[in-house]
Amino acid sequence: MIQQKEKCWIGFVVKKIETQTRNIMQKRLTKLEIRHFNYRPTVPETTAMDKTVAELFQHLCDMKKGAGIINLLAKLNLSKGDIERMQAQLDKKLKDAPSTINCNCLSSGKKMIVI
């Protein structure tokens, strides 16, 4: 309860409400005061995650995205269901996947040789 009061006190100071009018550290907070510091997201979690991942991969070379995903998979804890869905998606992509991916880092779009 003390942490919540300290957070509210900081909120009052930031909003330039005189702390002398209410000594939060000695009185219980009202429901209205507590409700004032409840925040709700404006974007669903999955939407935010998808956007973040998409933005991250926009900064990576097209040729190296696969290697990045492979390294990430090695480090993540995944459920069997997630793995099965990934395998199904990869099976679909395998049918139409090109044998090589062009580098998008170079302005000419030339294929980059990786050694």
Side-chain angles (χ1 to χ4, degrees):
M1 187 69 178
I2 290 175
Q3 289 178 340
Q4 188 178 22
K5 286 183 179 183
E6 288 173 358
K7 287 180 184 178
C8 288
W9 183 80
I10 291 169
F12 282 125
V13 171
V14 169
K15 292 182 183 274
K16 301 198 186 312
I17 296 173
E18 293 182 23
T19 56
Q20 295 172 351
T21 59
R22 173 126 173 121
N23 188 346
I24 295 173
M25 299 308 288
Q26 293 179 0
K27 295 182 181 178
R28 283 187 72 84
L29 294 172
T30 66
K31 288 184 180 183
L32 181 64
E33 289 170 327
I34 292 170
R35 189 181 71 193
H36 180 69
F37 293 99
N38 286 336
Y39 298 99
R40 289 180 176 68
T42 57
V43 178
E45 181 181 18
T46 53
T47 303
M49 288 180 1
D50 291 344
K51 183 179 177 185
T52 302
V53 170
E55 287 175 0
L56 170 69
F57 277 88
Q58 284 178 353
H59 297 288
L60 300 178
C61 176
D62 283 346
M63 289 179 63
K64 299 188 180 176
K65 288 179 183 177
I69 292 171
I70 291 167
N71 289 335
L72 184 61
L73 287 174
K75 296 174 185 174
L76 293 177
N77 291 327
L78 300 167
S79 69
K80 289 182 179 182
D82 286 341
I83 294 169
E84 289 169 355
R85 286 189 293 278
M86 283 187 245
Q87 286 175 332
Q89 186 64 39
L90 288 170
D91 288 339
K92 288 179 189 175
K93 289 190 102 24
L94 183 61
K95 295 174 186 173
D96 300 324
S99 58
T100 59
I101 300 288
N102 291 339
C103 174
N104 64 333
C105 299
L106 304 173
S107 60
S108 63
K110 294 180 181 177
K111 291 182 182 177
M112 191 173 182
I113 299 172
V114 180
I115 299 174

